[in-house]
Amino acid sequence: LTGNDSTATGKGVLGDTKTFNTLLNNNGSYLVDRTRGDGIFTYDAKNRTRTPGTLWLDSDNVYNAAYDGAAVDAHAYAGQTYDYFQNVHNRNSYDGNGAQLVSTVHYGRSYNNAFWSGSQMVYGDGDGSQFIPLSGALDVIAHELTHAVTDTTADLIYQNESGAINESMSDIFGTLVEYHFNNNPDWQVGEDIYTPNVAGDALRSMEDPTLSGDPDHYSKRYTGTGDYGGVHINSGISNKAAYLLANGGTHYGVSVNAIGNDKAGDIYYRTLTQYLTPNSNYSHFRASTIQAATDLYGASSAEVASVKAAFSAVGVN
Ligand SMILES: CCCCC[C@H](S)C(=O)N[C@@H](Cc1ccccc1)C(=O)N[C@@H](C)C(=O)O
Ligand SMILES: [Ca+2]
Ligand SMILES: [Zn+2]
C-alpha cells in the first residue's frame, strides 16, 4: 500500500466531529495512520464475522456518513490510546516495539460486544438497545488495547482470579485514558455506548461495582463457572480498590488516602508489566502492587500505605 499521509475529518458514533490520520492514493482515502508506531489500520467487517475484513476505503477523505462513525472512533481512539501508553508510560504500542494496531468495526450483526482477538481489536455495532457501536467510547477502546498490553507482559490467564485481574486492568486503563484526554471522564465503564434509552447507567461502575451486581469485597467474590469464572464480575473487587487508591474513601470501615490518577496509573502499569504472571491471584496481586509502589515511592511512602489500605478495604490482605 503506497500513498501520501493526510488528515481527514469525520463524525464519530455520537455525532462528534474529529480529525485523524489517513493515507491517500489514487484509490481514495484509507484509514491508515502511519504516524504512530508501525501504523494504525482500521477495517470493515461489513456485518460479517471474518476478520480483519476490508481495509477501510473512503472516496473523499470526509467521513461524515452514519456508517463511518464506528470506524472514525475506532481509528481516532486507537491513536489516542497509543499516545497514552507512549507519552505516559514510554511504551511504543502494545508490545513496546511499535506493533501495528489493527481494528475491525461493524463486526457481526447486532453484536453486543468488543474484544481483543489475540492479534487485533474487534467491535460490534450493538443491537441499538443494549449497546450502540462499541468503538464509540474511548474507555472501550482503551479496555481492549490494554488486553494486548497484558497479553505481551503478565499474560494473565483469562479465567477465575487471574482473569478478573486481567479484566480489571483493562477497566482501570480504560478509565485512566478517558481521564487523560478529559473525554467526559468518570469511573464508570462503557457509559457512552451502553443502553441509549436509559440515562445515567453504565455496563460497570468502578466507584460502586454493586450497581451492576458485582462484588466490592473479596468475601463476596463469585466462585461459579460462568463468565470464565467471573472475570467481568470479580473484576469489581480490583476496580473498587483502584477507585479508592486514586480517589480515596472509606469502605467497610477501612480508610484510604487518595494518591491521584497519575501515581495510581504508574503503580498499576509497573505491577502489570513487571510483577504479575499468568497465574497471579488476588493475593499475589496485592503483593505485586505493594512491590511496584515500593519501587516507585519507597517502603515508608504514603503511596505504599494507600496501596495496602486499598486492598485491605476490599478484603484482600
Ligand atoms: C467475546 C467474549 C469475551 C469478550 C471479552 C472482552 S475483552 C470484553 O471484556 N469486552 C468488554 C467490552 C466493553 C468494555 C468496556 C465497556 C463496555 C463494553 C466487556 O465488558 N464485555 C462484556 C459485555 C462481557 O463480555 O460480558
Ligand atoms: Ca467511563
Ligand atoms: Zn475485556
Side-chain angles (χ1 to χ4, degrees):
L1 181 70
T2 62
N4 301 305
D5 296 326
S6 176
T7 55
T9 61
K11 284 182 189 167
V13 170
L14 301 178
D16 51 322
T17 295
K18 56 195 71 178
T19 61
F20 41 91
N21 296 316
T22 57
L23 184 144
L24 299 182
N25 65 23
N26 50 25
N27 296 324
S29 166
Y30 289 97
L31 285 183
V32 172
D33 175 358
R34 296 192 303 190
T35 72
R36 294 178 168 96
D38 291 339
I40 300 178
F41 302 79
T42 302
Y43 289 77
D44 185 5
K46 300 178 183 175
N47 293 117
R48 300 189 57 107
T49 55
R50 198 170 52 247
T51 56
T54 309
L55 187 61
W56 195 285
L57 177 61
D58 178 85
S59 56
D60 64 358
N61 209 37
V62 176
Y63 293 70
N64 287 335
Y67 190 77
D68 300 340
V72 165
D73 283 337
H75 198 65
Y77 289 156
Q80 289 192 0
T81 306
Y82 173 94
D83 289 350
Y84 169 80
F85 282 108
Q86 177 63 66
N87 300 339
V88 176
H89 301 296
N90 193 32
R91 186 183 193 86
N92 178 9
S93 194
Y94 59 83
D95 67 345
N97 196 31
Q100 294 185 353
L101 298 185
V102 174
S103 302
T104 293
V105 298
H106 296 311
Y107 175 85
R109 295 187 182 289
S110 299
Y111 187 68
N112 283 320
N113 221 336
F115 58 95
W116 171 257
S117 75
S119 59
Q120 66 160 99
M121 291 165 276
V122 183
Y123 301 96
D125 289 331
D127 61 10
S129 173
Q130 187 185 5
F131 290 108
I132 60 175
L134 282 91
S135 59
L138 179 54
D139 60 1
V140 174
I141 298 202
H143 174 111
E144 301 312 340
L145 197 43
T146 298
H147 280 303
V149 174
T150 297
D151 288 359
T152 54
T153 54
D155 200 13
L156 288 156
I157 295 166
Y158 200 70
Q159 66 177 13
N160 304 330
E161 291 194 11
S162 55
I165 298 163
N166 185 323
E167 269 297 308
S168 178
M169 283 290 183
S170 280
D171 285 348
I172 289 167
F173 286 103
T175 291
L176 293 177
V177 170
E178 200 176 85
Y179 269 96
H180 184 72
F181 290 98
N182 196 29
N183 181 309
N184 296 314
D186 52 43
W187 287 81
Q188 317 309 323
V189 180
E191 67 284 349
D192 294 339
I193 46 84
Y194 186 62
T195 60
N197 304 317
V198 179
D201 66 345
L203 180 65
R204 291 183 289 278
S205 171
M206 302 178 74
E207 182 174 353
D208 182 3
T210 67
L211 292 176
S212 48
D214 299 325
D216 62 357
H217 194 273
Y218 191 70
S219 64
K220 299 181 176 181
R221 68 192 177 282
Y222 172 76
T223 55
T225 58
D227 184 34
Y228 309 95
V231 300
H232 294 97
I233 300 168
N234 292 330
S235 55
I237 297 159
S238 170
N239 285 355
K240 179 70 183 190
Y243 169 80
L244 289 167
L245 182 62
N247 300 285
T250 301
H251 188 52
Y252 294 105
V254 178
S255 293
V256 183
N257 293 323
I259 69 169
N261 287 16
D262 293 349
K263 289 180 176 177
D266 288 346
I267 292 168
Y268 283 115
Y269 180 78
R270 185 171 182 81
T271 302
L272 179 66
T273 59
Q274 299 293 330
Y275 291 108
L276 292 178
T277 59
N279 288 298
S280 291
N281 58 19
Y282 264 104
S283 173
H284 186 243
F285 185 23
R286 174 193 169 97
S288 298
T289 313
I290 291 168
Q291 186 58 57
T294 300
D295 296 345
L296 294 170
Y297 305 106
S300 56
S301 64
E303 292 80 2
V304 167
S306 288
V307 167
K308 291 175 177 176
F311 276 94
S312 294
V314 297
V316 178
N317 292 297

